[in-house]
Amino acid sequence: MPRLPPGPGSIRAGDKLPDHPFAAVHHRPDALPALLHAGAADILPRTASCAHLSCRGCRGDPRIAPAYQRMISTASGARHMHPIVIVGAGIAGYGLARELRRRDAQIDITLIAADRADFYAKPMLSNALTRGQTPETLIASTRADMARQLGITIVPHTCVERIDPDSRTLLSSSGLYHYRSLVLAIGAEPVRLHFWGDASDEVLSINHLDDYRRFRERLPASGHVALLGAGLIGCEFANDLTACGYRVTVIDPAPRPLAGLLPVPASTQLAEALAATGVQWRCGHRVRAIDRRAGRYRLSTEDGDTLDADLVLSAVGLRPQTALAAGAGLICERGIVVDRQLRTSAADIHALGDCAQIDGMVRPYVMPAVQAARALASTLTGKPTEMSLPPMPVTIKTPACPIVTCPPPPTLTGVWRELTEDGIRILRFESNDAVLAGFVVIGGHSLARQQALLREMAESGR
């Protein structure tokens, strides 16, 4: 491929582009002859010249349009030569890579990650203290281990900046990548509340291993932790911290913990059990400001109360990451909209895990990600498969009050009925036609009991 003439500011194949990826070539008219002479078909991935063809603005240039069309034509014939590219190294991303490799020993797979790309189980972050684990011992397999085990290319510390569905390319901080199929497994990001006060930017959130490292670095040997959010993750961290001797105050505007996931009797039992471990509840309160006070933090609520703590941890929820997909023109609502085959609105782009919205719902739990990975791996290896969506229970890792719940559909009307079996409290949600549509098991994780309830739901068509 012809190179651009050397000189100040010249761009060569493989050069890293500036922050705005097309800025340098937009203002390089001398780059056009070399680009057009190359005929586009000979342009290799990750070259600066490819940036011209990946830019919707440049494509409108009459000098570039013919080359762009030639590139599209060539790409459609040689697309099978490009890898399946997975963006995201969490349970969904690595799970898909593993399922793909089980079905095809030869398929070319590239996995791009924003972090170190070591594999760990993210749900284990919220009870690592009690289990005596550190950020390093949480790592189940290093990036090198995963690359060797799965036979894939892993690109760590890389931010994907833009996707071009037409040319089947994505531009990243590590260069330009072509794909035969692209899978977005980019997860969700913490919801970040805004507070007044000079310490509002020191509130911690934990969504991945690097966040957890920062949390452990700042966690004192003992003291008081203010925890914002009484949802699933907040309750799990509260139990983990009190079990290790910390004082914990949980603040949430909801009237009770896990109000969106559990019925009142189960939520009340959980609150009482965690209170017995030392958790102090401030439900029905909102934090207005967070300020520094003599090496600690003072939290002020909207109703005038104050609370002093040594660390402030926010666990108020997650929001699917949709900006990258929306920027590429994909349909996004609460998450990236996909069908039962995990297909987005753009050809050869799929999404799964916490970022995906299927049947109008985002399912930010492990089991849906596992089901999605299996179905999508079959589809991408030549056997179109729809994702199965059976009832999927959620385990709440609070040893003070172990709970497994399978919530009913939010719009379904019915009644909760209670029974006790062998000291295990069971709440059954029965619809108006007396059909089991959800359940909560409290006080033990009897697999046989859960399976019996799930079978009953499946047989009823729920």
Side-chain angles (χ1 to χ4, degrees):
M1 186 184 90
R3 290 187 178 272
L4 301 179
S10 63
I11 301 175
R12 301 178 185 275
D15 281 355
K16 179 174 173 56
L17 299 176
D19 289 340
H20 173 46
F22 310 119
V25 289
H26 269 311
H27 303 293
R28 289 290 311 283
D30 59 310
L32 289 173
L35 171 65
L36 299 176
H37 179 71
D42 300 323
I43 297 175
L44 300 176
R46 307 189 199 183
T47 64
S49 296
C50 279
H52 267 301
L53 301 183
S54 296
C55 174
R56 293 180 188 274
C58 282
R59 282 186 226 151
D61 190 306
R63 296 168 294 175
I64 294 178
Y68 174 72
Q69 291 303 321
R70 287 197 298 274
M71 184 186 79
I72 294 298
S73 176
T74 301
S76 64
R79 192 177 15 163
H80 66 279
M81 299 174 61
H82 299 311
I84 292 176
V85 175
I86 302 169
V87 183
I91 289 175
Y94 270 130
L96 174 61
R98 185 175 288 108
E99 294 294 337
L100 284 168
R101 186 56 73 224
R102 284 175 180 165
R103 289 160 175 76
D104 190 326
Q106 303 300 323
I107 195 168
D108 191 4
I109 304 169
T110 296
L111 186 145
I112 299 175
D115 58 10
R116 286 170 32 174
D118 296 324
F119 179 73
Y120 65 98
K122 188 163 77 168
M124 296 298 102
L125 297 180
S126 59
N127 60 4
L129 275 172
T130 304
R131 291 183 290 107
Q133 290 191 281
T134 67
E136 295 310 314
T137 62
L138 280 164
I139 296 172
S141 299
T142 66
R143 174 177 74 245
D145 292 336
M146 296 301 291
R148 182 172 55 254
Q149 292 169 17
L150 300 177
I152 65 176
T153 299
I154 301 177
V155 186
H157 304 298
T158 295
C159 175
V160 177
E161 299 161 356
R162 178 173 179 163
I163 300 166
D164 182 354
D166 294 334
S167 63
R168 291 182 172 83
T169 59
L170 58 85
L171 187 68
S172 76
S173 56
S174 296
L176 191 73
Y177 291 85
H178 289 257
Y179 61 84
R180 58 185 286 187
S181 294
L182 174 64
V183 181
L184 300 178
I186 50 182
E189 58 188 349
V191 173
R192 302 191 184 276
L193 302 179
H194 299 284
F195 306 104
W196 298 99
D198 58 14
S200 59
D201 59 347
E202 297 182 32
V203 176
L204 295 178
S205 294
I206 300 174
N207 190 41
H208 48 66
L209 194 57
D210 288 340
D211 290 339
Y212 190 72
R213 284 192 183 95
R214 285 187 285 272
F215 166 70
R216 292 293 290 267
E217 288 167 0
R218 288 183 50 185
L219 184 68
S222 62
H224 188 189
V225 177
L227 210 159
L228 311 182
L232 187 148
I233 301 301
C235 288
E236 291 182 351
F237 268 108
N239 200 158
D240 199 41
L241 287 161
T242 55
C244 292
Y246 290 89
R247 293 176 53 216
V248 175
T249 299
V250 180
I251 307 169
D252 195 297
R256 53 190 174 85
L258 282 170
L261 194 62
L262 296 178
V264 173
S267 177
T268 301
Q269 184 171 342
L270 175 65
E272 292 172 351
L274 289 180
T277 72
V279 173
Q280 298 178 20
W281 298 103
R282 291 204 180 181
C283 293
H285 294 264
R286 294 179 185 273
V287 173
R288 182 184 64 84
I290 304 175
D291 294 283
R292 299 183 187 89
R293 286 290 187 276
R296 305 183 77 202
Y297 299 102
R298 173 158 295 177
L299 289 75
S300 303
T301 64
E302 291 182 350
D303 53 5
D305 285 347
T306 60
L307 169 72
D308 291 340
D310 300 291
L311 188 73
V312 183
L313 177 63
S314 176
V316 296
L318 298 174
R319 179 184 295 116
Q321 298 207 60
T322 59
L324 179 65
L330 277 61
I331 295 175
C332 298
E333 295 174 354
R334 289 180 57 206
I336 303 169
V337 175
V338 298
D339 63 11
R340 286 288 186 105
Q341 290 187 27
L342 291 312
R343 297 176 297 193
T344 69
S345 57
D348 298 311
I349 300 181
H350 300 75
L352 79 166
D354 293 1
C355 68
Q357 175 183 320
I358 180 169
D359 287 353
M361 292 181 62
V362 176
R363 294 171 169 83
Y365 304 111
V366 172
M367 282 307 299
V370 171
Q371 294 277 1
R374 291 171 180 164
L376 184 53
S378 293
T379 295
L380 295 178
T381 52
K383 184 181 178 182
T385 304
E386 291 194 350
M387 177 184 174
S388 174
L389 289 172
M392 299 183 196
V394 177
T395 299
I396 302 170
K397 302 188 301 297
T398 46
C401 183
I403 297 176
V404 174
T405 180
C406 188
T411 58
L412 186 66
T413 58
V415 62
W416 286 97
R417 303 187 186 279
E418 182 176 341
L419 58 99
T420 302
E421 296 179 359
D422 300 325
I424 306 300
R425 189 181 188 190
I426 300 174
L427 300 172
R428 298 167 51 96
F429 183 86
E430 298 179 1
S431 62
N432 290 339
D433 52 358
V435 173
L436 179 66
F439 64 83
V440 180
V441 179
I442 309 173
H445 292 170
S446 168
L447 184 59
R449 187 173 283 104
Q450 293 174 44
Q451 289 176 338
L453 291 165
L454 289 170
R455 279 195 303 270
E456 184 179 346
M457 290 179 64
E459 289 169 0
S460 68
R462 300 293 185 188

